[in-house]
Every structure is written in C-alpha cells, then in structure tokens.
Amino acid sequence: MPEPVPSAMPRLARTSVLAISFAAMVLLAGLLRQTGEAIGGLLDLTMTDASARALLAQYSPWQRDVHAHATLIYDGLYPLAYGAFFAGLAIRLGGGSARWVAFVMLAGMLTDYAENIVQLLALSGRGDLLGTKTVLTPLKFALTGAAILSTLMIAARAGLRALRL
C-alpha cells in the first residue's frame, strides 16, 4: 500500500476546513446570541466577578439550566470553530510566518475554556470561582482579539498583494 503524499498546506489552512469552521462559527455565534437574549444575558460577556454575580442572582433555575447547556454545547464548540477559522486563515494567507497567530488563538481558546469551567461551576452551584472572571474574560477577549486583528491585517496585506499583480 503506497504511503500518502503529505500535503504542503497545513490542515487548518485547507479550504474545506476554513469553510466548515466559518459556517460553524457563524451558526454557534447565532445560537449563543439567541440563548443570551432568551435568558437575559450570558455570563460570558460579564467582565468582572461583581457583574457576573449580579447576573447570576437574577437567573431562575430554568435560566441557569439553559445557560449551562449552552455553555457545554454551543460554547464548548465555539472556540474550536473560531480558533480553526482565524488560525487557519492566517496560516493560509500569511504562510509559515503566521503560525504565531495560531498560538495566540490557542491561548485565547484555552482561556475561553477556563472561563466556561468557572461559569459551569457557578451555574450548577458547585463552586464560586467567579472572581477569576476579572482576569479570564478580559484575557480571553485580548488574546482572541489580537489573533483576529492580526488575521485581518494578514488578509488585507494578502488582498493588496493580489491587487498589485
């Protein structure tokens, strides 16, 4: 049986992966937004422990349950979708020198998952680590925002290069 020929393009940068991750990112973002509207807001968007505790205190048991399920399902998949899309696009358009964007995005994704764990503990009443949101949530937004902004700059530069041809 012949050995498969390795692709010159990393998997994350393949067209099929970019298309699937983009579609998943848009779908999951819509589901998270819809869930937030249905329950009066998501803990994911609160930047401090005080604002997270205030929102959590307003939730009924049903709202806590809906939020927990959305965190497990939608926000469990969302970092994979946005991470794959933006890291893959940066590598696709920026080449090997853009791999650092993938590492920044991975750090943002890990921070997002840590925030999800903190929120699930609070929603289930099993632990109060909401004080960490004061660091986790801004760090999540800073890391993912830096990776997204870098990807957009790489895309703009690639677009300008293509127009000059």
Side-chain angles (χ1 to χ4, degrees):
M1 189 169 195
E3 294 270 333
V5 177
S7 171
M9 186 169 303
R11 284 191 178 111
L12 275 181
R14 292 182 182 164
T15 303
S16 59
V17 173
L18 290 172
I20 291 168
S21 61
F22 179 78
M25 178 181 67
V26 170
L27 173 66
L28 292 163
L31 291 169
L32 284 166
R33 181 178 177 180
Q34 186 177 32
T35 301
E37 288 173 1
I39 65 171
L42 293 175
L43 291 172
D44 302 77
L45 302 176
T46 59
M47 299 294 270
T48 65
D49 58 328
S51 58
R53 283 189 177 89
L55 182 59
L56 189 61
Q58 294 175 8
Y59 286 157
S60 68
W62 174 82
Q63 288 169 309
R64 285 177 181 241
D65 190 50
V66 169
H67 194 316
H69 281 87
T71 299
L72 281 170
I73 299 167
Y74 307 149
D75 206 16
L77 296 171
Y78 189 53
L80 294 174
Y82 71 67
F85 177 72
F86 286 106
L89 187 62
I91 292 168
R92 171 93 176 237
L93 299 175
S97 64
R99 289 184 189 271
W100 68 270
V101 175
F103 291 113
V104 173
M105 183 57 82
L106 178 61
M109 291 166 59
L110 293 173
T111 306
D112 197 347
Y113 284 122
E115 178 192 46
N116 287 352
I117 291 167
V118 166
Q119 292 172 174
L120 284 168
L121 288 170
L123 288 163
S124 67
R126 292 196 171 113
D128 184 354
L129 299 174
L130 288 174
T132 63
K133 280 191 62 64
T134 303
V135 172
L136 286 176
T137 304
L139 183 60
K140 168 188 77 171
F141 285 125
L143 291 168
T144 57
I148 290 168
L149 183 61
S150 298
T151 300
L152 294 175
M153 290 180 357
I154 290 167
R157 190 175 62 215
L160 289 173
R161 269 196 315 263
L163 289 174
R164 288 185 209 163
L165 295 179

